């Protein structure tokens, strides 16, 4: 179960500050030796920036996407967590409209939850390869094309850095056909890729069609949030597999 109490966001901010300090204290120059002694690591993020931070050195800017895990072998991280994805794909827009209607007409949590889960599963069943390709191209590949990704394991203080453009995932988004693979999940499913020869590629990617703040907030019964809307998450599972799949294109520091 993913968290809806705001703790993941707070932990992420704490990790970003720690990573900024690590980069500023010398790690950035070890990763990018061309940097001068006058470089600065600046926090970004929020609604305006896809990058969580920037390394600025004169006219050069290096964009950093920070991914935090307590333990690298447990859980996932998000590539996408956005309501905007629901606006351009018909079955996702239908889900968003249904979620809004449920919030307006239901005051029993179980009934509302069942309605949201049913609508989510219906949307997953309707998603086409073209739909998924559009989502991944526009919201993952395009938005990370100039990004350096840094994965941090807080329990050990270990970090891994790589260029998103060099990743097998980016290659599959650009060159292979994605398919939704339904399984045990009601509101989520794996995304598997196939090339034109039928070869299968599993990059540990999952799509999740959910609400951002849970059912209680949707029907006005949450103490921590006063609203909840439909969002689409693209999640990275199997982070050890991601790291090993990058081979010599990823650096540990």
């Amino acid at each position: 179960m993913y968290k809806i109490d705001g703790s993941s966001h707070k932990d992420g901010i704490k990790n970003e500050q720690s990573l900024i300090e690590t980069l500023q204290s010398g790690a950035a120059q070890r990763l990018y030796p061309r940097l001068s002694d006058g470089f600065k690591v600046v926090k970004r993020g929020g609604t305006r920036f896809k990058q969580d931070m920037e390394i600025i050195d004169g006219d050069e800017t290096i964009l950093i996407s920070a991914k935090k895990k307590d333990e690298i072998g447990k859980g996932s991280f998000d590539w996408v967590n956005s309501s905007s994805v629901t606006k351009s794909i018909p079955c996702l827009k239908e889900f968003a409209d249904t979620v809004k209607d449920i919030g307006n007409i239901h005051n029993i949590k179980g009934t509302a939850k069942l309605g949201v889960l049913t609508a989510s599963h219906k949307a997953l069943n309707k998603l086409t390869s073209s739909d998924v390709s559009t989502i991944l191209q526009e919201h993952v590949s395009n938005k990370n094309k100039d990004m350096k990704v840094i994965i941090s394991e807080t329990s050990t203080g270990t970090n891994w850095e790589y260029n998103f453009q060099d990743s097998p995932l980016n290659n599959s988004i650009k060159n292979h056909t994605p398919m939704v693979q339904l399984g045990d999940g009601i509101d989520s499913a794996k995304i598997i890729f196939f090339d034109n020869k039928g070869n299968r590629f599993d990059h540990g990617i999952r799509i999740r069609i959910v609400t951002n703040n849970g059912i209680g907030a949707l029907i006005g019964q949450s103490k921590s949030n006063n609203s909840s809307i439909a969002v689409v998450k693209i999640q990275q599972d199997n982070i050890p597999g991601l790291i090993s799949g990058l081979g010599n294109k990823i650096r540990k520091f």
Side-chain angles (χ1 to χ4, degrees):
M1 178 65 68
Y2 56 94
K3 298 179 181 179
I4 59 171
D5 61 0
S7 60
S8 296
H9 178 66
K10 292 174 185 175
D11 289 346
I13 291 173
K14 184 177 179 181
N15 172 67
E16 289 166 19
Q17 186 56 44
S18 176
L19 181 56
I20 286 172
E21 293 170 5
T22 298
L23 291 169
Q24 190 69 67
S25 64
Q29 284 182 307
R30 293 193 295 273
L31 288 169
Y32 316 110
R34 64 185 181 276
L35 291 174
S36 74
D37 291 337
F39 80 92
K40 296 292 182 185
V41 185
V42 179
K43 179 174 173 53
R44 294 300 189 212
T47 57
R48 290 183 57 203
F49 299 96
K50 176 67 176 175
Q51 65 272 26
D52 297 303
M53 60 195 70
E54 296 176 355
I55 301 173
I56 300 173
D57 188 24
D59 294 334
E60 182 179 12
T61 299
I62 299 172
L63 308 180
I64 305 289
S65 176
K67 307 296 186 184
K68 168 207 165 276
K69 295 305 304 171
D70 294 329
E71 294 181 43
I72 211 69
K74 295 182 179 179
S76 60
F77 64 71
D78 289 343
W79 289 112
V80 177
N81 182 356
S82 174
S83 62
S84 66
V85 182
T86 66
K87 297 174 183 177
S88 58
I89 307 294
C91 66
L92 298 179
K93 185 178 185 305
E94 181 181 348
F95 170 72
D97 291 341
T98 300
V99 166
K100 187 175 180 180
D101 289 342
I102 288 170
N104 290 331
I105 64 176
H106 288 294
N107 58 13
I108 299 173
K109 195 170 183 179
T111 305
K113 183 176 182 179
L114 179 60
V116 170
L117 286 172
T118 301
S120 175
H121 200 65
K122 181 179 178 182
L124 282 173
N125 274 282
K126 286 186 174 182
L127 276 175
T128 66
S129 289
S130 178
D131 292 335
V132 177
S133 183
T134 297
I135 294 167
L136 295 175
Q137 186 68 53
E138 293 182 358
H139 296 275
V140 180
S141 187
N142 290 353
K143 291 184 179 180
N144 288 281
K145 65 178 181 179
D146 298 318
M147 204 77 73
K148 307 291 186 183
V149 180
I150 297 181
I151 306 169
S152 299
E153 183 179 48
T154 58
S155 61
T156 62
T158 306
N159 301 281
W160 293 262
E161 183 268 1
Y162 69 98
N163 185 346
F164 180 80
Q165 280 196 320
D166 294 338
S167 66
L169 172 60
N170 188 48
N171 179 61
S172 280
I173 291 172
K174 290 188 171 184
N175 299 302
H176 301 150
T177 301
M179 301 284 289
V180 172
Q181 185 178 80
L182 295 168
D184 295 338
I186 296 173
D187 58 3
S188 73
K190 286 178 68 69
I191 297 175
I192 304 296
F193 297 86
F194 294 89
D195 65 14
N196 56 13
K197 296 181 180 178
N199 296 308
R200 180 180 183 273
F201 301 88
D202 182 355
H203 300 299
I205 299 300
R206 175 169 294 274
I207 184 167
R208 194 176 287 276
I209 303 175
V210 293
T211 61
N212 64 336
N213 289 324
I215 303 301
L218 178 64
I219 62 174
Q221 296 180 10
S222 170
K223 294 179 180 179
S224 55
N225 296 290
N226 57 17
S227 67
S228 189
I229 59 173
V231 295
V232 173
K233 293 172 177 267
I234 302 294
Q235 291 186 327
Q236 177 70 58
D237 296 337
N238 188 16
I239 299 169
L242 163 68
I243 292 170
S244 64
L246 282 156
N248 62 7
K249 295 176 181 177
I250 192 166
R251 299 182 287 178
K252 188 176 180 180
F253 69 97

